[in-house]
Amino acid sequence: MIQFLLNQELRSEHALDPNLTVLNYLREHLGKPGTKEGCASGDCGACTVVVGELQTDAQGGESIRYRSLNSCLAFVSSLHGKHLISVEGLKHQGQLHSVQQAMVDCHGSQCGFCTPGFVMSLFALQKNSSQPDAHKAHEALAGNLCRCTGYRPILAAAEQACCGGQSDQFDARQAETISRLKAIAPKDTGELNSGDKRCLVPLTVADLADLYDAYPQARLLAGGTDLALEVTQFHRTLPVMIYVGNIAQMKRIEHFDDHLEIGAATALTDCYDALRAEYPDFGELLQRFASLQIRNQGTLGGNIGNASPIGDSPPLLIALGAQIVLCKGEVRRTLALEDYFIDYRVTARQESEFIEKIIVPRASAERLFRAYKVSKRLDDDISAVCAAFNLRIDNGVVSDARIAFGGMAAIPKRAKNCEAALIGAPWNQSSIERACAALAEDFTPLSDFRASKEYRLLSAQNLLRKYFIELHAPHIETRVTAYV
């Protein structure tokens, strides 16, 4: 059984189909049609809901962290022990919520189809911001699409809704809600079981290892932003899933003198501050990774584990020399991330083995790291080419180089010939041009609807030239990541 709060109602579920998304659960099982389906792929934001989780600060204080997410990509099992808020839960005692009223006052809606999603994104923004902030508003709404009004009135609604820290019924009931969430906090493995399909929800790494050993055919579910597409877009059935999002050990970020350890189930939103503090370009790319809803759901381990050749984080992590810790039963092994990828969607992971955490070296003044993403849209788009450069230059000579690309091969991959052309060479334009030529030996990219093979190769070469210009002439402002 799993338990969660829906608005102010306690829900206990056991016999549901584990393939059921939160979107369809609300609409088809509970008759709450306010949450809309626009794309069923996490692109439009019409299905946005807000999920609250208990959190404890360093002083032991308890609060609820509210985050927006795409209900079309979230399975019901991920709600275990949490607080789900749908648009129907905002109106209180006959009065519109302040974010709904702001949309009315600022004329932010016409046809209204996208409006519930915008309202829920504004609600999450209000819960996380007490003062108007244009950057935060744009970030919060970047995953919501509107085809009617344009965004100026919606941004005006964001300014009105977040002005002055307006309180609501959720603030008034916070202590009560915390108490209710503590009462339903999972104490052992939860389960949804419809007879022929099941999803297990372990609480510890040891429990996960035992379950995965017992069900090696199970699909591991973290954020679900990739896995859920198999259900919503390809109409496949997932007979057995194991949800890892309730394992606290796999959601930690630990700082050591020379490295960070990031749990594989850590949401990308939570990775942002830690990685940006070490590598500003990593933080900048994470903000372009996808919408806030997706970053609130998607995990760093999931972005690695799905082994996509165009995943944004693997090239950066490979260039940094990151490692992963793989767990199978009680056995753990540490593997260089670049050795994890073998072929298209083929990895070095053994049966019943899972990624427990990612080890990322901390930044050093001697190494010069930059990352770039080329995509058709600046935000919320998949890479055509993603490049990461991590060089050490001593006395004008390249002493070490780690260069990795995504979108250039069947796997995220180091550019070994390019690196060899640079190591030991003077840091000048001639060396860069030789290294650019070597990229043609490293990669034979494919053509697809995102880019032709010629465009990809030229882009990769130009990104190396861009890196050189930035380091050679730092007064030239070219740091904004590339897009086309």
Side-chain angles (χ1 to χ4, degrees):
M1 182 177 71
I2 67 169
Q3 289 186 304
F4 56 94
L5 299 179
L6 170 57
N7 299 323
Q8 301 303 324
E9 176 190 0
L10 175 64
R11 301 291 305 182
S12 299
E13 301 287 359
H14 178 262
L16 285 178
D17 181 350
N19 288 228
L20 183 68
T21 63
V22 173
L23 171 65
N24 288 335
Y25 175 71
L26 289 170
R27 293 181 61 85
E28 298 175 6
H29 286 249
L30 301 183
K32 294 182 181 295
T35 307
K36 308 299 184 186
E37 178 179 314
C39 65
S41 60
D43 289 323
C44 73
C47 70
T48 301
V49 295
V50 169
V51 170
E53 294 184 72
L54 280 177
Q55 63 177 6
T56 304
D57 61 28
Q59 290 72 42
E62 295 176 322
S63 60
I64 304 173
R65 179 189 65 189
Y66 291 101
R67 284 183 170 172
S68 58
L69 56 82
N70 290 307
S71 61
C72 71
L73 297 181
F75 292 116
V76 175
S77 53
S78 68
L79 299 175
H80 192 28
K82 300 172 186 175
H83 185 195
L84 170 64
I85 303 173
S86 70
V87 70
E88 289 89 353
L90 296 192
K91 190 175 180 180
H92 183 58
Q93 295 181 346
Q95 298 294 315
L96 293 178
H97 190 277
S98 58
V99 296
Q100 295 172 308
Q101 191 62 53
M103 287 287 281
V104 173
D105 294 342
C106 299
H107 308 287
S109 176
Q110 281 189 26
C111 83
F113 191 87
C114 69
T115 302
F118 273 101
V119 164
M120 297 311 296
S121 289
L122 287 176
F123 173 76
L125 175 65
Q126 186 189 73
K127 288 299 170 195
N128 293 291
S129 177
S130 59
Q131 294 296 329
D133 183 312
H135 172 73
K136 288 182 179 179
H138 281 86
E139 181 183 37
L141 299 175
N144 293 81
L145 302 182
C146 174
R147 295 177 178 176
C148 296
T149 67
Y151 297 96
R152 187 203 58 75
I154 299 173
L155 289 169
E159 181 177 358
Q160 176 177 313
C162 295
C163 185
Q166 303 176 55
S167 61
D168 59 14
Q169 70 268 28
F170 299 96
D171 297 318
R173 291 175 171 170
Q174 179 170 282
E176 175 191 348
T177 303
I178 289 174
S179 178
R180 296 181 73 189
L181 287 175
K182 290 172 70 174
I184 65 170
K187 296 178 176 60
D188 49 29
T189 297
E191 181 176 1
L192 278 182
N193 191 325
S194 62
D196 59 338
K197 296 182 285 293
R198 64 193 310 198
C199 180
L200 300 154
V201 187
L203 301 181
T204 67
V205 171
D207 288 343
L208 168 59
D210 289 343
L211 289 171
Y212 207 17
D213 189 52
Y215 302 98
Q217 79 281 15
R219 303 294 298 275
L220 295 186
L221 169 65
T225 57
D226 188 67
L227 183 62
L229 295 177
E230 295 192 26
V231 175
T232 64
Q233 300 294 303
F234 298 102
H235 307 291
R236 296 171 185 159
T237 296
L238 306 177
V240 184
M241 289 186 284
I242 302 175
Y243 175 61
V244 303
N246 280 16
I247 302 176
Q249 297 158 271
M250 292 178 62
K251 298 173 74 174
R252 296 174 182 162
I253 300 177
E254 298 182 270
H255 293 72
F256 298 90
D257 289 342
D258 61 347
H259 70 276
L260 306 177
E261 292 188 3
I262 302 175
T266 305
L268 294 166
T269 300
D270 294 326
C271 296
Y272 174 74
D273 285 336
L275 290 171
R276 180 187 61 170
E278 298 291 327
Y279 305 103
D281 272 34
F282 209 138
E284 188 173 351
L285 185 135
L286 277 180
Q287 283 210 310
R288 292 186 56 203
F289 188 96
S291 68
L292 184 59
Q293 291 98 316
I294 295 292
R295 300 200 302 274
N296 286 340
Q297 290 174 255
T299 65
L300 191 60
N303 194 235
I304 294 168
N306 68 14
S308 169
I310 49 176
D312 282 347
S313 69
L316 281 66
L317 293 168
I318 289 171
L320 291 172
Q323 300 172 304
I324 55 174
V325 176
L326 294 160
C327 179
K328 176 181 171 66
E330 296 182 355
V331 178
R332 287 173 172 81
R333 63 179 176 127
T334 301
L335 184 70
L337 182 58
E338 63 189 276
D339 296 329
Y340 178 73
F341 303 103
I342 296 174
D343 203 345
Y344 180 72
R345 301 283 188 175
V346 178
T347 71
R349 187 178 64 83
Q350 300 170 6
E351 185 178 89
S352 297
E353 191 174 46
F354 58 90
I355 303 171
E356 182 181 5
K357 57 188 172 183
I358 301 97
I359 300 172
V360 184
R362 300 195 72 164
S364 70
E366 292 79 21
R367 302 198 70 92
L368 305 168
F369 176 79
R370 298 289 188 274
Y372 311 99
K373 174 177 176 175
V374 178
S375 55
K376 291 189 175 183
R377 295 194 308 265
L378 178 62
D379 293 312
D380 196 12
D381 199 7
I382 295 172
S383 296
V385 177
C386 186
F389 304 96
N390 186 20
L391 270 61
R392 176 168 179 160
I393 302 171
D394 295 310
N395 300 316
V397 175
V398 179
S399 57
D400 189 42
R402 293 185 65 91
I403 298 171
F405 285 88
M408 295 290 289
I411 58 173
K413 182 181 173 185
R414 284 179 69 178
K416 294 291 186 71
N417 289 301
C418 179
E419 293 173 355
L422 287 171
I423 294 173
W427 183 240
N428 58 32
Q429 188 70 51
S430 296
S431 298
I432 290 297
E433 292 307 316
R434 286 193 294 273
C436 285
L439 283 174
E441 303 171 24
D442 283 309
F443 301 107
T444 306
L446 297 176
S447 295
D448 60 20
F449 67 92
R450 292 189 182 90
S452 68
K453 60 183 180 181
E454 294 84 5
Y455 179 87
R456 282 191 161 102
L457 180 58
L458 181 58
S459 294
Q461 293 168 330
N462 283 341
L463 290 176
L464 177 56
R465 295 182 179 108
K466 176 182 173 70
Y467 174 74
F468 173 74
I469 292 170
E470 287 185 1
L471 299 187
H472 187 70
H475 61 282
I476 298 176
E477 184 57 47
T478 65
R479 291 295 311 285
V480 177
T481 47
Y483 71 102
V484 292

